[in-house]
Amino acid sequence: MRIAVVGQLARDLVLVVPEVPGAGATSPVLERREVLGGKGANIAVNAVQLGASAALVGVAGDDEVGDHLVERLRADGVDTSSVARRGKSALIVDVVCGGKWRYLQDIPETSLVAPTDLGPAVAEADAVVVQLQQPHDTALAAVRKAGGLVVLDGVATPDLLERADVLRADHQEGEELTGRSIGSPGDAVAAGRTLVGRGPDLVALEVAGEANVLVWSSGEVVVPLTEEDVVDTTGGGDAFVAALAVALARGERPEEAGRLAVAAAGRAVDHAGGRTDLGGLRTPGE
C-alpha cells in the first residue's frame, strides 16, 4: 500500500518554556528539540510508521538545512524522489507553555508546492493526502492527478470537495467550512452531513477537547479522545490524518479507521513538538 502526501516540509524548532515573556523580558527554555517538521513531512513519516510505503511531494531548501531535512526523511523510510529543492528551507518555531502552542513561521514562497512539482507519485498512490496549507492550484492539480483515494486535510473549496473521497477538518476548520458552531458531537454529525452532501464520501470532524466524529452516507461514529495528558497538540492532527488514510487505504471500515486515527492523535500530544512515533500502534480492540 502506497501513500503520497502533498504538503509542507520544514525545520521544526520546539521550545518548552515556563512562561511566555512580555516585551523586554526573558524566560528560560526548559526543553529544546530541533526536528524534521511540517505537516506534510509529519503525515508521511507517520504513514511509514503505520506500515505503509509513503512518498512526500514537498519542497526542501537548496541549502544545508534542506540537505538535513531530506536525509532525515530518507532515514525515516520516506520516498524523497518527489521532493523539490529550491530557495530557503521553511522554519517553524513551536513555543510550548502550559500545554498551549504558539508558532513562529518563516514559510518562503519558494517552499510551497507548485503544480509542476507533482510527479508520478500522486498518480501511482493508493491514497493521496493533500494538505490544504498549499496553494489552491496545487491542491486542485493534485486531486485531478490522483489515481487512488483522495484525502483532504483542512479547509477545502467547493471544487476540491466535489472531487474528494475523504475530508478531515479540525474544530475551527469545521466551523469555517459549514458556518455553524460545533460544540458537541451532535453538532459535528449535523455539520458532517452537510459536508458529505458537498462531495466527500467520508468526513471526519473534531469536537474540541471531547471527540472526533466520522460521518458517511449510511452512518456515523463518535470516537472519544484518549486520556493522555496533553503536553502539546502539535502533530495530533497530522497523526490523525496519517492513520485515517492508511486505515482506509487498506480497506478498514470508517469505525475502525476512526478509532485508529484517534489513538494515533493521542500518542502525538503527550510530548512537545510534532515528531511522533506511531510504531506498533493498532486499532483499539485488535
Side-chain angles (χ1 to χ4, degrees):
M1 180 220 319
R2 188 164 179 80
I3 309 292
V5 182
V6 181
Q8 186 69 57
L9 170 60
R11 176 190 177 204
D12 196 357
L13 173 60
V14 183
L15 303 174
V16 180
V17 297
E19 61 182 359
V20 178
T26 62
S27 176
V29 173
L30 304 178
E31 181 183 351
R32 168 177 165 176
R33 302 175 68 202
E34 296 185 49
V35 295
L36 172 71
K39 294 182 75 64
N42 291 342
I43 293 169
V45 171
N46 289 162
V48 171
Q49 293 168 343
L50 290 166
S53 170
L56 176 64
V57 182
V59 182
D62 188 17
D63 52 21
E64 186 176 356
V65 172
D67 292 340
H68 291 314
L69 294 177
V70 173
E71 289 170 5
R72 182 66 258 175
L73 277 172
R74 289 174 180 155
D76 286 331
V78 176
D79 180 351
T80 62
S81 61
S82 295
V83 174
R85 302 293 303 274
R86 59 174 175 265
K88 184 175 68 171
S89 294
L91 171 66
I92 300 171
V93 180
D94 177 13
V95 180
V96 183
C97 180
K100 304 292 186 181
W101 53 260
R102 295 161 178 83
Y103 295 154
L104 304 174
Q105 298 187 126
D106 178 20
I107 311 294
E109 189 77 19
T110 53
S111 72
L112 300 176
V113 182
T116 52
D117 296 323
L118 302 173
V122 172
E124 296 170 357
D126 298 298
V128 178
V129 177
V130 183
Q131 210 295 309
L132 295 178
Q133 289 178 334
Q134 299 303 306
H136 175 264
D137 57 345
T138 299
L140 186 58
V143 300
R144 285 173 172 169
K145 282 179 175 286
L149 190 77
V150 173
V151 181
L152 301 182
D153 176 24
V155 178
T157 53
D159 55 348
L160 292 171
L161 277 176
E162 65 185 16
R163 293 174 169 85
D165 297 299
V166 181
L167 171 71
R168 155 65 178 172
D170 65 21
H171 183 87
Q172 181 177 345
E173 292 164 344
E175 293 188 335
E176 182 176 344
L177 279 163
T178 61
R180 66 170 73 197
S181 174
I182 300 177
S184 69
D187 293 338
V189 169
R193 291 257 165 256
T194 296
L195 291 168
V196 166
R198 298 177 188 173
D201 296 320
L202 176 67
V203 172
L205 296 175
E206 177 195 28
V207 182
E210 185 173 349
N212 279 271
V213 172
L214 283 77
V215 179
W216 59 102
S217 61
S218 59
E220 71 266 347
V221 63
V222 177
V223 185
L225 300 185
T226 54
E227 297 182 355
E228 286 87 355
D229 291 332
V230 177
V231 175
D232 180 12
T233 58
T234 300
D238 303 336
F240 185 102
V241 170
L244 186 67
V246 169
L248 293 173
R250 68 188 179 201
E252 294 190 20
R253 296 177 300 164
E255 299 95 323
E256 297 166 335
R259 288 195 295 271
L260 180 65
V262 170
R267 188 177 288 190
V269 301
D270 67 356
H271 60 276
R275 178 81 179 177
T276 301
D277 184 2
L278 300 182
L281 187 67
R282 296 289 182 270
T283 302
E286 285 187 340

